[in-house]
Each structure stands twice: as C-alpha cells, then as structure tokens.
Amino acid sequence: MPNLVEVDSLAVGYPKGGTWRDVVDGVSLRLGDGGALGVVGESGSGKTLTSLALLGLVPEPGRITRGRVQVAGLDVVGAGESDLRRLRGAVVGMVFQDPALALNPVLRVGAQVVEAAVLHRRVEPADRQALASRLLEEVGLGGQDALRRAFPHQLSGGQRQRVMLASALAGNPSLVIADEPTASLDALARERFLRQVRTLREERGLALILISHDLALVAAAASTIAVLHAGETVESGPATEVMRTPLHPYTRALVRCARDGASTAGGALATVPGKVPEPEAWGPGCRFVGRCGEAFERCRWARPELVEVDTERSVRCFLYGEQESSDG
C-alpha cells in the first residue's frame, strides 16, 4: 500500500536574475495512513515552504522545480486546480502558525469553522450552526453559542488556535498539517493543544504532520521525525531512535539542545554554532560544513546523498556513506 505522503528530492525555487534559484532542494519525506511525522529544524530550514508545496500552495512567483510530491495518490506537481482544491480541506486540513493572520477578522468564528465543510461536503445553511458548535466542542471549546458568534479578536491565543484546528477538521480530512501550532502559546496552552490533537488523532484515525523548531515537542507528539537543514532532509527515522542515537551532526546538536532545554521560542538554537546558510551561500559541498565540528575536506566540495543506513533510518552525511548527490 502506498504511503499517504511521499516526497522525493523536492526542490522549490524562485526566479532571480533571469534564472531560478532553489530555496528548498533535497527534501524527502514519508508518512503512512494514520501516522504522525514531525518535521523539525531551525528557522530558514524550509519547513513551512515544504508544507505549502504538499498542497500546491507555493507562494507566487515560486514553483516546484524538481522532485516528486504525492499526497493520497495525487501527483501534486502535475495536478489541476480542481484536484488541488479537493486536496485542500477534503484530504488535508491545515493549521497555520499564526491564527491571528490566518483567520478573517471580519467574519464570525462559526462561519470560518465550517468553510471547508460547506465547500467539500455541501452542508446546507440550516445545518451550519449546529456543525460549527459540534466542531468547536470536539476541539475542547465547549460548543458555546457565544464563542461561535464571536470574532477572532475576541478570543485568546489558545482559543484561536483551537478554532484553526476545528476549521481544519471540518472537511473530514485524512491528514492534518500543523505548522508551529504552539509557537505563540504559553506552556499550559501548548500542552492542552497537543493533548487535544492526540485525542483527535485517536478518535478520527488522523495522520499528522507536525512542524516545529522544537525537537522535544516533536518527539513527544510524533512517531517519526524528519530533520531539515538549509532546504534539505539531513536525517529521518523513528522518533525514539533519532532521539536515542542521532546520526547527523546537526541532529546531535538539536538533541543536545532538547535535552538541555536550550532551544528558544524564536527558533534559534544557542549551542549550534553559526546559523542556517542562505540559499545564496550554498556551496558545492555539505550545507552544514561551516557549522560542523566533524567536517573533513571532502565535505567542502562534495554534497552527500540522503542514504538509508538502517530500516526506516536515513542520513545525509559522509560519516555514514560514500554516495554523493548528483546535484552536488
């Protein structure tokens, strides 16, 4: 049986100087039905752009320049707009990082919650209020009539994030993508939100892609982890194994940060030297070479391929294989 999500060597580029410059190049992901995948990396690693590419929503004038993206059997790269519209909402629900920006400030909460259901399930006007109340209750907001009639600015940050989750569920999707869903929440609201997501996954049989800079959070919520750095996947595998025996030097640094509690809310990881290189600074070799204490000469002029080193475990590093990427 094919995976629900299959991404191979994804590249996303933008026009610059008469050509195309890739800002994501080398992302590969796998997610089975009902599974939970955590995508982790610092700001600038390509996490959000990858999630948008899954839905054919790369912001203009960007486009997918290479690679294969399949979601629920649909070839996203070659799909028409009607197929993509069905994918967005009916197959995949999206929870964006900042609900204050994602929610329409002039529409009442109830109308926004049922939008996907109206579009994909043809819910009649007479049934929409009841559906909105049921969805809000399902995400722990009690189905209160006052909340359904409220505007987004009248809600707390935690309530707005749950409204986004209710909206993502309205089309009865198979997969929910949550992009940094707890970044603006305090510790208590963060735990409540993640607990609600776990409950919904169990009750609905949902698959989940959780995107975050926080490796500890991802490891607690996902069964599989993909680590991104500078627009490419550098390691992937079962969450318990990645946390116990990280392979890539970047993943090892992230694990140290998670264990020491050193990650910050802004996504910077204080114990990792340097910063994620901009696409303009990508050289012919490993993109982590300038930050790596284990680099050797070959790392500077050859780009390692993402290779499988064990069952369900892959890494992009010459410490574990000789294979070079054809794009290096």
Side-chain angles (χ1 to χ4, degrees):
M1 180 181 295
N3 288 311
L4 179 61
V5 175
E6 294 191 1
V7 179
D8 291 306
S9 302
L10 170 67
V12 176
Y14 282 83
K16 186 168 185 178
T19 186
W20 287 83
R21 182 184 295 278
D22 290 331
V23 295
V24 166
D25 177 17
V27 170
S28 295
L29 306 171
R30 294 287 185 277
L31 177 65
D33 287 333
L37 169 66
V39 180
V40 68
E42 293 165 279
S43 298
S45 294
K47 306 184 302 296
T48 295
L49 201 51
T50 295
S51 70
L52 294 175
L54 294 179
L55 297 173
L57 287 175
V58 174
E60 294 288 346
R63 71 182 187 193
I64 296 174
T65 57
R66 289 188 308 282
R68 183 174 70 97
V69 180
Q70 285 197 334
V71 180
L74 177 68
D75 179 1
V76 173
V77 179
E81 191 56 36
S82 61
D83 286 331
L84 290 174
R85 280 197 299 268
R86 178 183 171 277
L87 180 70
R88 303 162 189 158
V91 178
V92 183
M94 186 79 182
V95 179
F96 293 96
Q97 177 175 350
D98 190 345
L101 296 178
L103 293 171
N104 190 324
V106 300
L107 289 182
R108 296 185 189 276
V109 164
Q112 298 189 64
V113 164
V114 299
E115 187 174 2
V118 171
L119 180 62
H120 298 291
R121 296 164 54 190
R122 301 292 189 262
V123 176
E124 296 297 327
D127 300 324
R128 294 174 189 174
Q129 290 187 7
L131 175 61
S133 292
R134 287 199 302 273
L135 287 166
L136 290 171
E137 187 168 9
E138 191 175 5
V139 299
L141 290 177
Q144 306 166 35
D145 288 342
L147 191 145
R148 177 172 47 78
R149 294 194 299 268
F151 292 97
H153 74 272
Q154 296 174 307
L155 308 181
S156 69
Q159 287 176 321
R160 285 195 294 265
Q161 197 60 275
R162 286 173 183 251
V163 166
M164 285 292 301
L165 180 58
S167 178
L169 297 173
N172 283 339
S174 303
L175 166 66
V176 167
I177 300 175
D179 184 8
E180 296 277 10
T182 63
S184 61
L185 305 182
D186 60 36
L188 182 58
R190 183 184 306 123
E191 177 54 34
R192 286 174 176 168
F193 182 84
L194 292 176
R195 187 165 57 245
Q196 192 70 52
V197 170
R198 285 193 290 268
T199 299
L200 288 168
R201 287 194 59 238
E202 293 172 1
E203 294 176 348
R204 285 177 170 248
L206 280 170
L208 171 70
I209 295 179
L210 176 62
I211 298 168
S212 179
H213 70 272
D214 188 334
L215 180 58
L217 180 147
V218 164
S223 56
T224 306
I225 291 176
V227 181
L228 270 56
H229 176 268
E232 63 184 6
T233 303
V234 297
E235 183 169 348
S236 64
T240 53
E241 294 185 22
V242 170
M243 293 297 290
R244 183 172 59 246
T245 57
L247 302 178
H248 196 280
Y250 181 58
T251 310
R252 291 203 290 272
L254 295 185
V255 169
R256 285 195 300 270
C257 291
R259 289 173 178 167
D260 296 342
S263 60
T264 68
L269 296 159
T271 61
V272 183
K275 62 180 182 179
V276 179
E278 297 291 336
E280 293 81 0
W282 294 350
C286 173
R287 295 175 194 164
F288 190 61
V289 65
R291 314 175 72 189
C292 182
E294 301 177 66
F296 48 94
E297 184 60 28
R298 186 185 183 194
C299 304
R300 304 185 186 283
W301 52 261
R303 181 187 177 196
E305 183 62 272
L306 182 67
V307 296
E308 187 174 290
V309 295
D310 201 351
T311 304
E312 298 184 327
R313 295 209 68 178
S314 298
V315 64
R316 189 188 298 273
C317 182
F318 287 132
L319 295 174
Y320 302 94
E322 296 292 315
Q323 191 170 344
E324 296 179 12
S325 170
S326 58
D327 296 330

